[in-house]
Amino acid sequence: MTQPPYVIDEMISAKTIAARIEDLAKEIETAFAGTEKLVVVGLLRGSFVFIADLVRELDLNVEVDFLEASSYGDAMESSREVRILKDLRGEINGRDVLVVEDIVDTGFTLHHVVGLLRSRKPKRLETIALLDKPSRREVDIKATWTGFQIPDEFVVGYGIDYAQRNRNLPFIGKVRFT
Ligand code: PRP
């Protein structure tokens, strides 16, 4: 599929993201103080940059695992059907778990994943999303921690794609069609 021409305007700089992650990491350390090991679960593909930066700020014992869920494919509109394309490698029964999401939009993805992982009886499960678009919510869910609340703009970068492009931008940008 060919995309119409567009430009990307910076919305949240790499520096601002880094500073926010430092603060979030402190809150997570406090919340999980004393944990034997925290299983940090990144939702692929969008969270790969965020989880990499977040775990390097965490002064805790962490295990990193990934789960791939997809509801958009290359489309701009959620299919509202969340498919698990890759499950966790490890067990989370009785463990402390932090689910890392890049963006909560309709909420279908996080809601589905939290339901799935809670059914495996973790000791404690919390969630973190770098971005939150509350105005788009269709399912009642909110991450435990949120980096930035943003308006209903089409964003890319820092792991987030437009038709699989622009995930490698170091900042969050707003797509503007030209
Ligand atoms: C995107 C994004 C979130 C989800 C948020 O994933 O990474 O996981 O959509 O949308 P929602 O709140 O409306 O469910 P996508 O399905 O595009 O897969 P990707 O992470 O591989 O890009």
Side-chain angles (χ1 to χ4, degrees), residues 44-46 69-72 78 101-109 161 167:
L44 294 172
R45 290 174 262 183
S70 184
S71 61
Y72 285 78
S78 170
E101 177 64 299
D102 53 344
I103 183 165
V104 183
D105 192 311
T106 63
F108 279 103
T109 305
D161 72 304
R167 291 193 197 268

Side-chain angles (χ1 to χ4, degrees), residues 36-66:
E36 195 189 318
K37 190 156 65 169
L38 177 64
V39 184
V40 183
V41 174
L43 299 195
L44 294 172
R45 290 174 262 183
S47 75
F48 78 103
V49 179
F50 182 33
I51 190 173
D53 283 348
L54 182 65
V55 293
R56 285 180 291 173
E57 287 296 329
L58 284 179
D59 191 12
L60 294 171
N61 280 330
V62 300
E63 177 176 325
V64 175
D65 207 338
F66 292 98

Side-chain angles (χ1 to χ4, degrees), residues 76-91:
M76 285 172 72
E77 189 63 25
S78 170
S79 65
R80 293 168 179 75
E81 264 179 50
V82 182
R83 290 183 299 148
I84 300 298
L85 304 178
K86 181 212 165 296
D87 206 337
L88 298 179
R89 289 277 292 276
E91 301 289 332

